[in-house]
């Protein structure tokens, strides 16, 4: 196994080496722009690490790794159009810098480019890799659709929410590991175990994101706190609060949900945070994060890979969940 | 070889047999709606015919045929959002019946479903089929981008226009044949010849569409005449007229292009038609249609397939271009 930073370097270099035709510029420039915005390259790193753990040869999975990163960035590009998000990683989103049509068409092209990279997989594992990738992609769209649907509903349960974020964000992390495992020559059980490892890790990560929006420290979190509260985003926190609140808490929560006056933002964030704390939603989230984290790590015990590889995956989890207040 | 109607029936049944998960309905209903709108199923028919011509077994290519039809309908779905087209095949488009976000997300899912079907190709031809399909998909996006770019330009040449429609519409017809040929076991030269046959045929078809918008008969053409003229759509006709017109014709054409008053529509269509006729653009288009048609049919002479198969492809071309005034 290599050092974590070496996998990141390998993934970053491969992403930077993607060739974009010069013409038509209106199609390819937005793709190059999106891919150059950076990001943590977590998914390709997982693909490379997993392939390395089973075969001792991370490079075998480099094209699949790039394909998965292209796919991830395609979903962000189209999600930003749908969510009318103006900023991504500190830069204007494609539909702001160009326009909606450009974002749609360049996103479509990114999805096909992702397929082109995924297809550059050794022929013996190609059918299995494509099956995993395409099935995962379908789940990601389903997750996005449920996310949209949930914004129109007031009776979403915690378990429905978990299922939604599993589809919308976790399965692609799972896929990143599974594809690396398949290319690395892992058996079905081992590939599935690594899939579950990163899928559960993804759930813990998303729940931590929900928690950090309420209890995080802006200086270390890196983005403004309270955005989910201000926008009534149906997170783990809000869904549980709606379901658990009674009496005055329920009345107050309803009142704040109805109040979207930007000048009340700070008061709203503080008041809703206090409701969450009174209802113990903070502790509930922390317990869920711990549960999914430990579940994630347990999958590693079932797989026959070197202790060095197990340590690498454990360290990856620790690194991912290090972000605290 | 089967009868033309039998290939259509085979393709239609396979498209009708696509299984859509029930949930989330917001994702899958628009896809089922789009695929049920019909259309001529030309692309899957070409895939089945070509596979049959080389292997005597059309069914081998049925999944690839469905995948290409899904892809074609995905491009229409996203194009309709970008073009703000409200009606497709006599029914409201997805972004009108649902909304833009639904059209974007369901379109994305259709593209991945297309890949899933394409991937269900016999393993020995899978890498070559995927390479052909993905490269074609990239060309289709490029064609759409050039089409958008051309609407902002006044100096588009005929040859640029031909290159654009080749990318936007013809290469997918070419791909439909080539994929069928590959699955049917054709050699590279034969697969490329069939690709060129349907690519050139696609050019003739698109140029005929441009001509029919001006000189067609609404009763037999099936859609309103003059839409391209009314919308200043940069077709083969308008591009050549802009480039060829001098003196009074040039002045009059410019004046009509600037006049988008809906109440002047009928006058505009008639006046621009008269300019086209005076400049001989009608004859120019007819000559180009004939040239691409005969070029298309010549490719068939280079391929070793049965006379029955050659007749079937010749009849397909005749049927496609039968639409006259």
């Amino acid at each position: 196994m290599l050092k974590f930073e070496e996998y990141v370097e390998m993934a970053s270099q491969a992403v930077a080496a993607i060739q974009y035709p010069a013409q038509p510029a209106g199609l390819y420039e937005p793709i190059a722009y999106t891919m150059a915005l950076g990001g943590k390259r977590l998914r390709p790193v997982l693909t490379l690490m997993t392939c390395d753990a089973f075969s001792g040869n991370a490079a075998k999975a480099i094209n699949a790794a790039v394909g998965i990163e292209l796919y991830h960035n395609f979903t962000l590009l189209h999600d930003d159009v749908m969510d009318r998000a103006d900023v991504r990683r500190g830069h204007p989103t494609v539909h702001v810098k160009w326009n909606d049509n450009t974002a749609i068409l360049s996103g479509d092209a990114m999805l096909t480019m992702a397929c082109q990279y995924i297809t550059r997989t050794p022929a013996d594992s190609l059918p299995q890799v494509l099956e995993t990738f395409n099935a995962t992609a379908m789940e990601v769209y389903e997750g996005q659709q449920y996310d949209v649907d949930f914004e129109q509903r007031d009776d979403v349960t915690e378990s429905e929410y978990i299922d939604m974020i599993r589809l919308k964000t976790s399965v692609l992390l799972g896929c990143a590991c599974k594809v690396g495992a398949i290319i690395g020559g892992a058996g079905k059980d081992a590939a599935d175990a690594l899939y579950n490892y990163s899928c559960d890790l993804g759930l813990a990560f998303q729940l931590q994101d929900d928690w950090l929006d309420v209890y995080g420290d802006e200086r270390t979190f890196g983005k403004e706190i309270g955005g989910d509260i201000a926008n009534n985003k149906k997170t783990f926190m809000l869904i549980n609060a709606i379901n658990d609140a009674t009496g005055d808490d329920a009345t107050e929560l309803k009142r704040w949900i109805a109040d979207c006056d930007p000048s009340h933002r700070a008061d709203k964030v503080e008041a809703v945070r206090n409701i969450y704390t009174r209802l113990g939603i903070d502790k509930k989230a922390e317990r869920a994060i711990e549960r999914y984290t430990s579940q994630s790590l347990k999958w590693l015990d079932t797989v026959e890979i070197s202790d060095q590889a197990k340590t690498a995956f454990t360290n990856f989890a620790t690194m991912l969940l290090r972000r605290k207040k």
Side-chain angles (χ1 to χ4, degrees), chain A residues 47 60-61 63-65 68 114-115 117-136 175 178-184:
Chain A
T47 304
K60 265 173 86 176
N63 286 318
I68 289 171
C115 294
Y117 272 90
I118 301 270
T119 302
R120 285 176 213 146
T121 282
D124 54 340
S125 41
L126 182 60
Q128 218 188 325
V129 164
L130 286 170
E131 197 189 322
T132 302
F133 172 71
N134 286 325
T136 301
C175 170
K178 189 168 175 177
V179 161
I182 294 166
I183 298 174

Side-chain angles (χ1 to χ4, degrees), chain A residues 280-299:
Chain A
I281 311 293
D282 52 344
K283 297 282 175 290
K284 202 174 212 172
E286 287 159 23
R287 281 194 303 273
I289 295 164
E290 267 167 43
R291 192 168 63 244
Y292 287 114
T293 306
S294 86
Q295 216 166 280
S296 163
L297 296 176
K298 265 189 205 146
W299 287 108

Side-chain angles (χ1 to χ4, degrees), chain A residues 26-66:
Chain A
L27 181 68
Y28 291 111
E29 274 178 8
I31 304 178
Y33 171 82
T34 300
M35 296 308 290
L37 285 183
K40 295 181 285 292
R41 311 297 186 209
L42 296 178
R43 292 155 196 80
V45 163
L46 281 174
T47 304
L48 296 173
M49 279 175 65
T50 315
C51 186
D52 204 5
F54 286 101
S55 69
N57 180 4
K60 265 173 86 176
I62 192 69
N63 286 318
V66 171

